[in-house]
Every structure is written in C-alpha cells, then in structure tokens.
Amino acid sequence: MPEPIRVLVADDQALLRGSFRLLIDTAPGLVAVGEAATGAEAVEAARRERPDVVLMDVRMPEMDGIEATRLICRSPETAGVRVLILTTFDLDEYVYGGLRAGASGFLLKSTPPAGLLAGIRVVAEGEGLLAPSVTRRLIEEFARGGETRPAPVRGLDGVTEREREVLVLVARGLSNAEIAARLHLSTATVKTHVGHLLAKLAARDRAQLVIAAYESGLVSAPSHPS
C-alpha cells in the first residue's frame, strides 16, 4: 500500500481546523499530521512534521499565510513541502503574492469537501492547482490590477518556441490533456515539454510556471469589457 499523503492544517479558527482534520482523516489515502493556529506555528509544525501538503489559511495572527508559505517553501528543511492556500473572493490581491511565495495552488473556502480532498491530492502530486476557472479568474484579476510587479526572475532565452506555446496554455490553466488536444500532440509529449520548462525556469510546479509566464510578459491577463 502506498504511504498516505500527510497533511498539516493551518487556520486560526479552531472549528475549521477540526473540521478539516476530520475530513482529511476519514478520506482514503490522507492523514492529518498536525494543526497550527498561526503562521509562525505553521512554519514550526512544517519543520517538525515534514508534511506532504500544508493546507494554509491566508489571514492568521502573528504571521499571515503568505509569509508562512514563503518561509516554508524557501527553507532547505521544508523545500519538499507543498502549500495549498485557502482563500475567499475578497482576497484576490493575495493570489499573486502567494504564488510568488511558492504556493502550489489555491482553493476557495467554499469548495465542497470532495473538491478540497481532490485539491490536496493534486498538489501532493506536484501538479499545481490552477485549472479551476475560479482560480484562473483570481490570478487574471490580480495580474490586471496594475499592482507593483517585480522584475522577471528568469528570462525565456533557453525556452524553445514549442515550449513557449505550452507555457502560454499552462498559464491559461489548461491541463496536459487539454494542451495536447489544442496543439495536436500526445499527452506524453506535453508532459515532457512541461518537465523541460520546470527545469529551465527553476520552477517548483505548474503554479510557478504561471508566474514565469506573467513576469516575462509572455502572457498578460485578458481585458474584459467594463
């Protein structure tokens, strides 16, 4: 039997933490390995437990979820830990910062239990949870908002033309199968291209590829009529 996916739950509301933990512990192939009520506690627990996934709230005392995510993802001790951030519609502005900090995905707190469990599994596999339309909309809204943008962390000089095409579609939230259909390629070929992009752009997962696409100017959020 494969080892269960180990999940740390970080939320400042005890009732929500308990609910998430119960949901995780009763799901096949998942196990909750700890709880944290603050960002600082989340960082400490991640170092102690080395979970596969941290289910991270954004607004917590002492240290918010974005800073906690940054510390977890950039520490050699916890470099293999993936963070799935829980957000709400009024937290659009945190999405870009969360991805920059190293988060592998975002879910709304209103996501049904089955969707939350599926999201944990997707992030644990390293895919990055960017396919849901609501997540794409949050990213696009923030990217279009004109906030201060950092300089590109890495150029695309070593990226081939085909890889650029794949990167654009990854940034639009398409899955490997959808990209394969769009570009008339096999899914295996698309997976190979994505692997090359991850290596060339020093990206942890697909979420980080989205950041690279936006920062390089390869992709810009579409404008919508007012």
Side-chain angles (χ1 to χ4, degrees), residues 83-105:
V83 178
L84 175 57
I85 291 181
L86 294 177
T87 185
T88 54
F89 275 118
D90 65 328
L91 294 177
D92 295 23
E93 71 272 17
Y94 289 102
V95 174
Y96 194 80
L99 290 175
R100 287 279 298 161
S104 293

Side-chain angles (χ1 to χ4, degrees), residues 69-70 73-74 79 81-83 85 95-106 126-130 139 152-154 156 167 170-171 194 197-216:
T69 297
R70 182 177 293 107
C73 294
R74 296 187 181 180
V81 177
R82 302 190 180 277
V83 178
I85 291 181
V95 174
Y96 194 80
L99 290 175
R100 287 279 298 161
S104 293
F106 289 80
E127 288 300 313
L129 191 61
L130 293 173
I139 294 170
V153 294
R154 178 166 297 207
L156 301 180
L167 181 57
V170 168
V194 171
L197 285 166
L198 291 170
K200 290 180 178 181
L201 301 179
R204 285 166 53 92
D205 49 36
R206 294 171 84 94
Q208 298 301 299
L209 291 181
V210 172
I211 289 297
Y214 276 114
E215 289 187 344
S216 67

Side-chain angles (χ1 to χ4, degrees), residues 24-76:
I24 291 165
D25 279 336
T26 55
L30 301 179
V31 60
V33 295
E35 299 180 15
T38 70
E41 287 181 9
V43 173
E44 180 181 349
R47 290 172 178 166
R48 182 177 65 249
E49 302 293 343
R50 307 289 176 86
D52 298 302
V53 177
V54 178
L55 197 59
M56 182 80 76
D57 187 22
V58 170
R59 289 179 172 171
M60 290 186 290
E62 295 183 24
M63 178 190 298
D64 66 25
I66 304 300
E67 180 61 22
T69 297
R70 182 177 293 107
L71 292 175
I72 290 170
C73 294
R74 296 187 181 180
S75 169

